Amino acid sequence: MTDRYAVFGNPIGHSKSPRIHAMFAAQTGQDISYEAILVETGSFAAAVNAFIATGTGPARGANVTVPFKEEAFRLAAHRTPRADAAGAVNTLSFEAGVVIGDNTDGAGLVRDLKNNLGCDPAGRRILLLGAGGAARGVILPLLLENPAELVIANRTEETAARLALEFSRLPGCAIGVKPDGIGFPGLAGRAFDLVINATSAGLSGAVLPLPTCVFALRCVAYEMVYGRATPFMNQAQAAGVRVADGLGMLVEQAAEAFFVWRGVRPRTAPLLAALREQQ
Ligand code: ATR
């Protein structure tokens, strides 16, 4: 019987996940099905339980996307340390009636940086823009890569300061650098080797008040959004630095989820190239 997987979200029609996982399954010879499920607000747990209870073949896992990652966090009976740090779950595994929550977003970003972009976070001065869910999900994985520094800058300074403080005292984590949390005015005169936009400003076309100096020579500017040129990408381009969008992170977080479920790591380069061609 074919093992069943799905992605839950709202909206979900645009999701590339079914195609990505179908390609991973074909490449690795895994017998799985993967569907996209639209969930109405307030019905997340019911939708997951219905997916587990009905259908032919055992339900083995699911991805969770906007706006249900925090609900998935609460639904999971057990969570991985990286899901706990993220405060959100994007990958569920169903094992013997138990729902296990994981978060592969941060690992996806780090793999995209290291393997696809040749940008190892180790020793780099990193600027993370934003202090919402997307930013929180990548802080621990970035810190574990031993950057020279990690500065979290946010429109609301207090949220950045609180987040930085929280990640400065993680029990049991061998982290060499403590993050700093500031407002955008605090960026004046500062330079970074990797600037990651984890704000949702790009989705509304809003321009971030970034001084050009934040983009150091040979800096990589990483936009978590994909499929459009955002004002952040234009700012970085105008500063003459290398720009990447979040398509690689999407593919790599999916590959990490596939690995969690199937124990096999698919190759991502061919898929990424195919998706880029369609962009
Ligand atoms: P997500 O899950 O995408 O991270 P979120 O948790 O709502 O969404 O967080 C959105 C982030 O984008 C926040 O850091 C927000 O800044 P505030 O904390 O000040 O609200 C940031 N953001 C959204 N629109 C922005 C804009 N126009 N300019 C600057 N920052 C913006």
Side-chain angles (χ1 to χ4, degrees), residues 98-129:
V98 179
V99 177
I100 298 162
D102 197 354
N103 192 311
T104 65
D105 284 332
L109 170 66
V110 169
R111 284 190 87 86
D112 190 33
L113 286 168
K114 286 168 86 164
N115 298 1
N116 303 328
L117 299 168
C119 174
D120 195 329
R124 290 200 185 231
R125 296 166 294 174
I126 303 179
L127 171 61
L128 180 62
L129 302 168

mmCIF file of all heavy atoms in Angstrom, residues 98-129:
data_model
loop_
_atom_site.group_PDB
_atom_site.id
_atom_site.type_symbol
_atom_site.label_atom_id
_atom_site.label_comp_id
_atom_site.label_asym_id
_atom_site.label_seq_id
_atom_site.Cartn_x
_atom_site.Cartn_y
_atom_site.Cartn_z
ATOM 1 N N VAL A 98 1.009 8.514 16.911
ATOM 2 C CA VAL A 98 1.552 9.709 17.570
ATOM 3 C C VAL A 98 1.956 10.734 16.502
ATOM 4 O O VAL A 98 2.573 10.387 15.492
ATOM 5 C CB VAL A 98 2.782 9.342 18.433
ATOM 6 C CG1 VAL A 98 3.360 10.589 19.096
ATOM 7 C CG2 VAL A 98 2.392 8.309 19.489
ATOM 8 N N VAL A 99 1.590 12.006 16.752
ATOM 9 C CA VAL A 99 1.938 13.074 15.820
ATOM 10 C C VAL A 99 3.221 13.750 16.302
ATOM 11 O O VAL A 99 3.278 14.287 17.404
ATOM 12 C CB VAL A 99 0.800 14.111 15.718
ATOM 13 C CG1 VAL A 99 1.204 15.267 14.803
ATOM 14 C CG2 VAL A 99 -0.486 13.456 15.221
ATOM 15 N N ILE A 100 4.265 13.696 15.460
ATOM 16 C CA ILE A 100 5.565 14.280 15.808
ATOM 17 C C ILE A 100 5.783 15.522 14.944
ATOM 18 O O ILE A 100 5.591 15.479 13.723
ATOM 19 C CB ILE A 100 6.701 13.263 15.587
ATOM 20 C CG1 ILE A 100 6.475 12.060 16.507
ATOM 21 C CG2 ILE A 100 8.067 13.889 15.851
ATOM 22 C CD1 ILE A 100 7.236 10.843 16.113
ATOM 23 N N GLY A 101 6.172 16.614 15.597
ATOM 24 C CA GLY A 101 6.360 17.885 14.886
ATOM 25 C C GLY A 101 7.829 18.235 14.711
ATOM 26 O O GLY A 101 8.619 18.140 15.643
ATOM 27 N N ASP A 102 8.189 18.674 13.508
ATOM 28 C CA ASP A 102 9.565 19.058 13.209
ATOM 29 C C ASP A 102 9.515 20.381 12.443
ATOM 30 O O ASP A 102 8.447 20.812 11.979
ATOM 31 C CB ASP A 102 10.227 17.955 12.356
ATOM 32 C CG ASP A 102 11.748 18.052 12.346
ATOM 33 O OD1 ASP A 102 12.305 19.022 12.891
ATOM 34 O OD2 ASP A 102 12.380 17.147 11.771
ATOM 35 N N ASN A 103 10.665 21.015 12.304
ATOM 36 C CA ASN A 103 10.736 22.217 11.483
ATOM 37 C C ASN A 103 11.991 22.151 10.621
ATOM 38 O O ASN A 103 13.102 22.119 11.144
ATOM 39 C CB ASN A 103 10.748 23.488 12.349
ATOM 40 C CG ASN A 103 10.534 24.718 11.495
ATOM 41 O OD1 ASN A 103 11.184 24.897 10.477
ATOM 42 N ND2 ASN A 103 9.584 25.548 11.882
ATOM 43 N N THR A 104 11.795 22.121 9.315
ATOM 44 C CA THR A 104 12.914 21.947 8.376
ATOM 45 C C THR A 104 13.272 23.250 7.652
ATOM 46 O O THR A 104 14.141 23.257 6.786
ATOM 47 C CB THR A 104 12.594 20.847 7.326
ATOM 48 O OG1 THR A 104 11.495 21.291 6.520
ATOM 49 C CG2 THR A 104 12.234 19.531 7.984
ATOM 50 N N ASP A 105 12.592 24.351 8.019
ATOM 51 C CA ASP A 105 12.818 25.619 7.308
ATOM 52 C C ASP A 105 14.254 26.122 7.470
ATOM 53 O O ASP A 105 14.897 26.517 6.494
ATOM 54 C CB ASP A 105 11.844 26.691 7.806
ATOM 55 C CG ASP A 105 10.436 26.486 7.263
ATOM 56 O OD1 ASP A 105 10.297 25.917 6.170
ATOM 57 O OD2 ASP A 105 9.473 26.904 7.940
ATOM 58 N N GLY A 106 14.728 26.134 8.722
ATOM 59 C CA GLY A 106 16.076 26.653 8.973
ATOM 60 C C GLY A 106 17.139 25.793 8.323
ATOM 61 O O GLY A 106 18.101 26.307 7.720
ATOM 62 N N ALA A 107 16.967 24.487 8.426
ATOM 63 C CA ALA A 107 17.923 23.563 7.786
ATOM 64 C C ALA A 107 17.904 23.779 6.278
ATOM 65 O O ALA A 107 18.943 23.716 5.610
ATOM 66 C CB ALA A 107 17.559 22.118 8.117
ATOM 67 N N GLY A 108 16.707 24.057 5.727
ATOM 68 C CA GLY A 108 16.577 24.314 4.287
ATOM 69 C C GLY A 108 17.345 25.553 3.879
ATOM 70 O O GLY A 108 18.047 25.555 2.856
ATOM 71 N N LEU A 109 17.242 26.608 4.681
ATOM 72 C CA LEU A 109 17.973 27.842 4.375
ATOM 73 C C LEU A 109 19.480 27.586 4.420
ATOM 74 O O LEU A 109 20.215 27.980 3.500
ATOM 75 C CB LEU A 109 17.601 28.941 5.381
ATOM 76 C CG LEU A 109 18.468 30.195 5.309
ATOM 77 C CD1 LEU A 109 18.261 30.939 3.985
ATOM 78 C CD2 LEU A 109 18.206 31.135 6.484
ATOM 79 N N VAL A 110 19.933 26.919 5.481
ATOM 80 C CA VAL A 110 21.377 26.688 5.632
ATOM 81 C C VAL A 110 21.907 25.823 4.486
ATOM 82 O O VAL A 110 22.967 26.092 3.923
ATOM 83 C CB VAL A 110 21.678 26.062 7.014
ATOM 84 C CG1 VAL A 110 23.111 25.577 7.092
ATOM 85 C CG2 VAL A 110 21.411 27.081 8.122
ATOM 86 N N ARG A 111 21.167 24.811 4.107
ATOM 87 C CA ARG A 111 21.616 23.948 2.993
ATOM 88 C C ARG A 111 21.649 24.724 1.680
ATOM 89 O O ARG A 111 22.549 24.545 0.863
ATOM 90 C CB ARG A 111 20.698 22.720 2.858
ATOM 91 C CG ARG A 111 20.952 21.666 3.906
ATOM 92 C CD ARG A 111 20.195 20.392 3.563
ATOM 93 N NE ARG A 111 20.959 19.528 2.687
ATOM 94 C CZ ARG A 111 21.851 18.642 3.107
ATOM 95 N NH1 ARG A 111 22.093 18.509 4.385
ATOM 96 N NH2 ARG A 111 22.495 17.891 2.257
ATOM 97 N N ASP A 112 20.647 25.579 1.476
ATOM 98 C CA ASP A 112 20.643 26.378 0.244
ATOM 99 C C ASP A 112 21.858 27.294 0.216
ATOM 100 O O ASP A 112 22.542 27.403 -0.813
ATOM 101 C CB ASP A 112 19.341 27.184 0.150
ATOM 102 C CG ASP A 112 19.167 27.837 -1.223
ATOM 103 O OD1 ASP A 112 19.618 27.236 -2.226
ATOM 104 O OD2 ASP A 112 18.603 28.943 -1.304
ATOM 105 N N LEU A 113 22.137 27.937 1.354
ATOM 106 C CA LEU A 113 23.295 28.839 1.423
ATOM 107 C C LEU A 113 24.588 28.079 1.141
ATOM 108 O O LEU A 113 25.400 28.494 0.306
ATOM 109 C CB LEU A 113 23.362 29.482 2.818
ATOM 110 C CG LEU A 113 22.330 30.582 3.126
ATOM 111 C CD1 LEU A 113 22.329 30.911 4.614
ATOM 112 C CD2 LEU A 113 22.618 31.835 2.311
ATOM 113 N N LYS A 114 24.753 26.962 1.843
ATOM 114 C CA LYS A 114 26.038 26.244 1.755
ATOM 115 C C LYS A 114 26.200 25.475 0.443
ATOM 116 O O LYS A 114 27.233 25.543 -0.215
ATOM 117 C CB LYS A 114 26.163 25.269 2.940
ATOM 118 C CG LYS A 114 26.452 25.965 4.258
ATOM 119 C CD LYS A 114 26.288 25.062 5.433
ATOM 120 C CE LYS A 114 27.515 24.257 5.761
ATOM 121 N NZ LYS A 114 27.428 23.686 7.134
ATOM 122 N N ASN A 115 25.176 24.706 0.071
ATOM 123 C CA ASN A 115 25.321 23.776 -1.052
ATOM 124 C C ASN A 115 25.010 24.395 -2.414
ATOM 125 O O ASN A 115 25.639 24.044 -3.406
ATOM 126 C CB ASN A 115 24.420 22.552 -0.868
ATOM 127 C CG ASN A 115 24.788 21.774 0.379
ATOM 128 O OD1 ASN A 115 25.694 22.160 1.106
ATOM 129 N ND2 ASN A 115 24.080 20.692 0.626
ATOM 130 N N ASN A 116 24.036 25.305 -2.455
ATOM 131 C CA ASN A 116 23.639 25.848 -3.759
ATOM 132 C C ASN A 116 24.282 27.192 -4.059
ATOM 133 O O ASN A 116 24.489 27.540 -5.209
ATOM 134 C CB ASN A 116 22.113 26.003 -3.840
ATOM 135 C CG ASN A 116 21.391 24.687 -3.586
ATOM 136 O OD1 ASN A 116 21.908 23.619 -3.924
ATOM 137 N ND2 ASN A 116 20.213 24.736 -2.989
ATOM 138 N N LEU A 117 24.542 27.969 -3.006
ATOM 139 C CA LEU A 117 25.038 29.328 -3.224
ATOM 140 C C LEU A 117 26.507 29.493 -2.844
ATOM 141 O O LEU A 117 27.081 30.569 -3.042
ATOM 142 C CB LEU A 117 24.178 30.327 -2.419
ATOM 143 C CG LEU A 117 22.695 30.344 -2.815
ATOM 144 C CD1 LEU A 117 21.871 31.123 -1.804
ATOM 145 C CD2 LEU A 117 22.523 30.950 -4.207
ATOM 146 N N GLY A 118 27.100 28.450 -2.275
ATOM 147 C CA GLY A 118 28.509 28.543 -1.870
ATOM 148 C C GLY A 118 28.740 29.622 -0.829
ATOM 149 O O GLY A 118 29.785 30.271 -0.812
ATOM 150 N N CYS A 119 27.755 29.830 0.035
ATOM 151 C CA CYS A 119 27.831 30.902 1.038
ATOM 152 C C CYS A 119 27.735 30.275 2.426
ATOM 153 O O CYS A 119 26.646 30.165 2.984
ATOM 154 C CB CYS A 119 26.694 31.900 0.781
ATOM 155 S SG CYS A 119 26.545 33.175 2.032
ATOM 156 N N ASP A 120 28.878 29.845 2.942
ATOM 157 C CA ASP A 120 28.897 29.212 4.264
ATOM 158 C C ASP A 120 28.720 30.280 5.341
ATOM 159 O O ASP A 120 29.501 31.238 5.384
ATOM 160 C CB ASP A 120 30.248 28.494 4.436
ATOM 161 C CG ASP A 120 30.230 27.530 5.600
ATOM 162 O OD1 ASP A 120 29.510 27.805 6.577
ATOM 163 O OD2 ASP A 120 30.932 26.499 5.532
ATOM 164 N N PRO A 121 27.714 30.134 6.208
ATOM 165 C CA PRO A 121 27.493 31.159 7.242
ATOM 166 C C PRO A 121 28.629 31.245 8.269
ATOM 167 O O PRO A 121 28.767 32.259 8.949
ATOM 168 C CB PRO A 121 26.204 30.697 7.952
ATOM 169 C CG PRO A 121 25.561 29.727 7.020
ATOM 170 C CD PRO A 121 26.674 29.089 6.244
ATOM 171 N N ALA A 122 29.469 30.209 8.342
ATOM 172 C CA ALA A 122 30.557 30.202 9.333
ATOM 173 C C ALA A 122 31.455 31.416 9.154
ATOM 174 O O ALA A 122 31.927 31.684 8.044
ATOM 175 C CB ALA A 122 31.369 28.919 9.205
ATOM 176 N N GLY A 123 31.683 32.132 10.234
ATOM 177 C CA GLY A 123 32.588 33.274 10.211
ATOM 178 C C GLY A 123 32.017 34.526 9.559
ATOM 179 O O GLY A 123 32.693 35.546 9.473
ATOM 180 N N ARG A 124 30.786 34.457 9.072
ATOM 181 C CA ARG A 124 30.208 35.647 8.413
ATOM 182 C C ARG A 124 29.484 36.543 9.410
ATOM 183 O O ARG A 124 28.926 36.063 10.390
ATOM 184 C CB ARG A 124 29.190 35.217 7.350
ATOM 185 C CG ARG A 124 29.858 34.577 6.168
ATOM 186 C CD ARG A 124 28.951 34.612 4.953
ATOM 187 N NE ARG A 124 29.596 33.880 3.880
ATOM 188 C CZ ARG A 124 29.772 34.361 2.648
ATOM 189 N NH1 ARG A 124 29.350 35.554 2.332
ATOM 190 N NH2 ARG A 124 30.347 33.628 1.727
ATOM 191 N N ARG A 125 29.450 37.816 9.076
ATOM 192 C CA ARG A 125 28.626 38.757 9.837
ATOM 193 C C ARG A 125 27.234 38.695 9.206
ATOM 194 O O ARG A 125 27.081 39.053 8.029
ATOM 195 C CB ARG A 125 29.199 40.177 9.723
ATOM 196 C CG ARG A 125 30.591 40.335 10.329
ATOM 197 C CD ARG A 125 31.221 41.631 9.880
ATOM 198 N NE ARG A 125 31.494 41.628 8.447
ATOM 199 C CZ ARG A 125 31.942 42.680 7.754
ATOM 200 N NH1 ARG A 125 32.154 43.829 8.359
ATOM 201 N NH2 ARG A 125 32.176 42.589 6.452
ATOM 202 N N ILE A 126 26.266 38.208 9.971
ATOM 203 C CA ILE A 126 24.929 37.996 9.398
ATOM 204 C C ILE A 126 23.935 39.021 9.944
ATOM 205 O O ILE A 126 23.876 39.263 11.154
ATOM 206 C CB ILE A 126 24.405 36.571 9.717
ATOM 207 C CG1 ILE A 126 25.381 35.510 9.194
ATOM 208 C CG2 ILE A 126 23.015 36.372 9.119
ATOM 209 C CD1 ILE A 126 24.937 34.086 9.496
ATOM 210 N N LEU A 127 23.178 39.586 9.026
ATOM 211 C CA LEU A 127 22.065 40.469 9.391
ATOM 212 C C LEU A 127 20.762 39.765 9.017
ATOM 213 O O LEU A 127 20.556 39.408 7.855
ATOM 214 C CB LEU A 127 22.176 41.810 8.645
ATOM 215 C CG LEU A 127 20.966 42.750 8.759
ATOM 216 C CD1 LEU A 127 20.693 43.149 10.212
ATOM 217 C CD2 LEU A 127 21.182 43.997 7.889
ATOM 218 N N LEU A 128 19.908 39.551 10.006
ATOM 219 C CA LEU A 128 18.602 38.938 9.759
ATOM 220 C C LEU A 128 17.551 40.024 9.919
ATOM 221 O O LEU A 128 17.419 40.621 10.996
ATOM 222 C CB LEU A 128 18.369 37.806 10.774
ATOM 223 C CG LEU A 128 17.049 37.040 10.673
ATOM 224 C CD1 LEU A 128 16.917 36.314 9.340
ATOM 225 C CD2 LEU A 128 16.918 36.044 11.823
ATOM 226 N N LEU A 129 16.807 40.295 8.849
ATOM 227 C CA LEU A 129 15.786 41.334 8.873
ATOM 228 C C LEU A 129 14.433 40.715 9.190
ATOM 229 O O LEU A 129 13.993 39.801 8.498
ATOM 230 C CB LEU A 129 15.733 42.042 7.512
ATOM 231 C CG LEU A 129 17.046 42.688 7.060
ATOM 232 C CD1 LEU A 129 16.969 43.084 5.590
ATOM 233 C CD2 LEU A 129 17.370 43.894 7.936
#
